[in-house]
Amino acid sequence: GNSVTQMEGPVTLSEEAFLTINCTYTATGYPSLFWYVQYPGEGLQLLLKATKADDKGSNKGFEATYRKETTSFHLEKGSVQVSDSAVYFCVQGGSEKLVFGKGTKLTVNP
Amino acid sequence: GAGVSQSPSNKVTEKGKDVELRCDPISGHTALYWYRQSLGQGLEFLIYFQGNSAPDKSGLPSDRFSAERTGGSVSTLTIQRTQQEDSAVYLCASRAGRGEYNEQFFGPGTRLTVL
């Protein structure tokens, strides 16, 4: 079945460091791809999405590009902040259901 | 406006007891999902309701799990004869309309602990 594999954490960075969280998916066709974020004590919320190959999703300084040739959707941010500390989930859409990766916990230290 | 709400926020129960978890979706959202988040795992799909259609129950792990959605709004997830492996955070999400492109909005979850 469809699955999503993302970089295992935890990831600890200093403020203003560059962030990459790798994500690859397995699916037939062209599923939509998402990154969801879970801040401490809060519910899951959509961070960004891309609905077709070569699309770039972006929000709050985060970006991810839908790469069909490598079946990847890596999350990047050029300069992280303490407030970015959270758990990040790479998610694959398809039909009506979402398939989640296991999540990567990011801690940003001042 | 109000988001997805879930109750209770925490539930501790003894092995073998039944529990009911409640979800109030965003008003007007026709799709409702239940997921389970276990420690160190991603979210596991449990069940999906869309309007008046028959629910997709393909993710329910055993026949001890069931869910209802009354009047196309509030949903209740019931776990009978709870086991320790049922301990997890149960998340509810709702979505407006059909289509994978539409965002799912998540509630804060119910943390279930089975002793």
Side-chain angles (χ1 to χ4, degrees), chain A residues 34-54:
Chain A
F34 309 84
W35 278 97
Y36 274 77
V37 59
Q38 191 171 33
Y39 296 104
E42 299 184 18
L44 273 166
Q45 55 187 276
L46 179 66
L47 178 61
L48 55 84
K49 68 180 181 182
T51 58
K52 60 184 188 294
D54 299 325

Side-chain angles (χ1 to χ4, degrees), chain A residues 6 36-39 41-45 86-89 91 100-105, chain B residues 6 21 34-46 61 65 77 79 85-92 106-113:
Chain A
Q6 67 180 97
Y36 274 77
V37 59
Q38 191 171 33
Y39 296 104
E42 299 184 18
L44 273 166
Q45 55 187 276
V87 180
Y88 293 82
F89 293 89
V91 183
F100 283 76
K102 293 188 176 181
T104 302
K105 183 176 181 180
Chain B
Q6 294 184 243
L21 313 180
W34 283 98
Y35 296 89
R36 179 168 68 177
Q37 185 176 22
S38 303
L39 188 64
Q41 301 295 316
L43 269 70
E44 175 188 11
F45 164 78
L46 296 178
F65 288 71
L77 177 68
I79 309 173
E85 61 262 28
D86 299 335
S87 297
V89 177
Y90 290 83
L91 293 171
C92 175
F106 284 80
T110 294
R111 181 175 297 278
L112 174 65
T113 303

Side-chain angles (χ1 to χ4, degrees), chain B residues 35-80:
Chain B
Y35 296 89
R36 179 168 68 177
Q37 185 176 22
S38 303
L39 188 64
Q41 301 295 316
L43 269 70
E44 175 188 11
F45 164 78
L46 296 178
I47 188 169
Y48 159 56
F49 297 88
Q50 174 62 56
N52 296 320
S53 302
D56 178 347
K57 304 179 181 180
S58 60
L60 295 178
S62 78
D63 59 8
R64 296 186 295 104
F65 288 71
S66 63
E68 292 185 342
R69 188 177 185 192
T70 54
S73 181
V74 172
S75 178
T76 301
L77 177 68
T78 301
I79 309 173
Q80 296 178 310

Side-chain angles (χ1 to χ4, degrees), chain A residues 32 34 49 93-94 96-97, chain B residues 33 48 56 58 95 100-101:
Chain A
S32 293
F34 309 84
K49 68 180 181 182
E96 300 290 324
K97 294 184 284 193
Chain B
Y33 297 78
Y48 159 56
D56 178 347
S58 60
R95 189 192 69 205
E100 58 164 342
Y101 312 111

